[in-house]
Amino acid sequence: MGEVDEFSWEDFQEEVSLKGRTLTFDDDVMMPFGVQVYDSVLVTLEPTNDKVSQLFNLNTGTKMGGRVNLGEGPNEMMMPMFVSNGNGIQFVDLVSATVYAYDSNKFLAEENVEPMKKVKLSESVDGEMQVLGDNYIGYQYFKEDVLYLFDKQGQKIRSFAGFPDGVKSEPNEQRSDMYQMGYVSNGKDRVAITYYMTDIIEVIDAEGNVLRHLQGPEKFSYEAGKDAFFSPKNAGDSFFVLYNGRNRNEENHNSSCNKLLSFSWDGTPERVYTLDDPIFTYCVDVQKRKVYGVSTTPEYHIVEYSLP
């Protein structure tokens, strides 16, 4: 496993309390599981609608309509996820294993926009993808190496990033359950892997070499029965990740979190943001220093946090 760098709450440089602002629009935000901001437009993924993506103007509070039909026809998607850190607006449809790239201006302006490029992946992925340099990276469940590197033509280059403790005796299915993970790249040369059910973070380079193996702030394993990190995101010079810390067996447990942690891309703890309205997923507007999160308390809504 290599050297473990343990950290605690005291290792963060500061704790900042943030008060959220609930955003209201002229039409309901239904049940989004993903959000991104492009200029002043909030783009949600809500595949319970006929259109899998909904657009909301943050300045005027108006809904701009839907984009991309739900289905299996040409240019339709069944299970879209965002592709982060790339140029334009990109999605990957998990059902067809296809990346769709759109011109940002056309996507925001045209209801029946068509992709400017489609890339069929040589192997399927199981979640959101990231751009890393000139390539894509994707996550595969039940595999010895959980991340796949694809070129821009969709061909698999290699796999990397194995299980964090190097245990080889358990079947992949059990290890995959124990070490469910999220990941984020800086778009260039770093990937941070964060784990749902143990408070481990790994920072790796573009070749898959582990640069830092961190554990904290409470240092628990899967057997503790607690949730750890959710939804890591690129925040420019840092990466953010939600921290839960609650027991999965407690009554009314969910994945919403009121702690948002900031780390440098070398794995140094920076800030703890305490949120007054817990969220389970979010996006970061790096230029405007805003966080847009999805809250379910008491119903689905979008909450905006301003970073100091």
Side-chain angles (χ1 to χ4, degrees):
M1 177 173 61
E3 182 179 354
V4 178
D5 293 330
E6 294 187 348
F7 67 95
S8 66
W9 293 114
E10 289 71 28
D11 291 311
F12 288 90
Q13 299 168 19
E14 62 177 327
E15 180 171 354
V16 180
S17 295
L18 299 181
K19 183 173 179 57
R21 181 172 73 95
T22 298
L23 301 184
T24 57
F25 302 99
D26 62 359
D27 198 359
D28 290 337
V29 175
M30 300 304 289
M31 300 174 64
F33 64 84
V35 291
Q36 290 280 17
V37 168
Y38 301 94
D39 193 15
S40 59
V41 178
L42 179 75
V43 178
T44 70
L45 290 179
E46 303 180 34
T48 54
N49 292 296
D50 292 337
K51 300 283 189 178
V52 300
S53 180
Q54 307 297 317
L55 277 60
F56 299 86
N57 189 302
L58 293 169
N59 293 332
T60 64
T62 56
K63 184 174 180 178
M64 301 166 58
R67 303 288 187 272
V68 185
N69 289 330
L70 176 68
E72 297 184 81
N75 299 333
E76 296 179 338
M77 301 184 207
M78 288 295 294
M79 194 176 297
M81 302 290 283
F82 286 112
V83 179
S84 300
N85 300 323
N87 295 322
I89 296 175
Q90 299 187 66
F91 305 99
V92 56
D93 180 35
L94 303 188
V95 173
S96 64
T98 301
V99 173
Y100 295 81
Y102 297 87
D103 176 271
S104 297
N105 292 329
K106 290 183 178 181
F107 188 90
L108 299 180
E110 301 175 11
E111 181 177 358
N112 296 314
V113 62
E114 294 189 359
M116 59 182 183
K117 183 180 180 181
K118 293 192 289 188
V119 177
K120 176 69 175 178
L121 301 175
S122 61
E123 299 201 34
S124 62
V125 296
D126 294 320
E128 188 172 302
M129 296 185 73
Q130 303 273 323
V131 170
L132 184 67
D134 293 327
N135 301 309
Y136 296 110
I137 51 175
Y139 168 61
Q140 275 225 337
Y141 200 57
F142 293 158
K143 298 295 182 180
E144 186 72 25
D145 291 328
V146 294
L147 293 182
Y148 279 11
L149 187 72
F150 299 91
D151 65 23
K152 284 301 180 68
Q153 287 70 50
Q155 296 302 304
K156 177 186 169 184
I157 300 172
R158 57 184 168 82
S159 59
F160 61 106
F163 294 100
D165 63 356
V167 173
K168 303 296 182 184
S169 60
E170 301 293 344
N172 280 354
E173 290 82 356
Q174 186 166 337
R175 282 180 287 166
S176 295
D177 286 340
M178 294 172 65
Y179 291 110
Q180 292 184 54
M181 46 78 82
Y183 70 100
V184 64
S185 86
N186 65 356
K188 299 175 292 185
D189 58 1
R190 290 288 184 275
V191 178
I193 299 174
T194 64
Y195 291 88
Y196 297 159
M197 291 182 280
T198 178
D199 57 352
I200 289 174
I201 296 175
E202 291 184 312
V203 178
I204 64 177
D205 64 17
E207 302 302 318
N209 301 305
V210 177
L211 305 178
R212 292 285 298 276
H213 181 103
L214 306 165
Q215 185 157 23
E218 298 182 79
K219 297 175 278 294
F220 59 83
S221 66
Y222 168 82
E223 286 75 17
K226 299 169 67 174
D227 277 341
F229 299 113
F230 293 94
S231 195
K233 302 293 182 184
N234 183 359
D237 293 334
S238 308
F239 68 89
F240 289 175
V241 64
L242 291 170
Y243 182 76
N244 188 288
R246 300 194 303 275
N247 194 292
R248 293 189 294 276
N249 294 323
E250 71 180 30
E251 188 176 359
N252 300 321
H253 175 69
N254 58 51
S255 58
S256 293
C257 306
N258 69 351
K259 298 289 187 186
L260 181 65
L261 310 186
S262 169
F263 295 84
S264 70
W265 283 104
D266 67 3
T268 300
E270 293 181 331
R271 293 174 185 83
V272 178
Y273 297 107
T274 300
L275 313 177
D276 69 338
D277 189 355
I279 58 178
F280 72 91
T281 190
Y282 62 100
C283 64
V284 182
D285 187 328
V286 176
Q287 281 71 37
K288 296 180 181 178
R289 296 195 57 76
K290 303 278 190 180
V291 170
Y292 296 93
V294 182
S295 173
T296 60
T297 309
E299 299 176 339
Y300 276 84
H301 63 274
I302 305 297
V303 57
E304 177 193 85
Y305 289 102
S306 296
L307 300 172

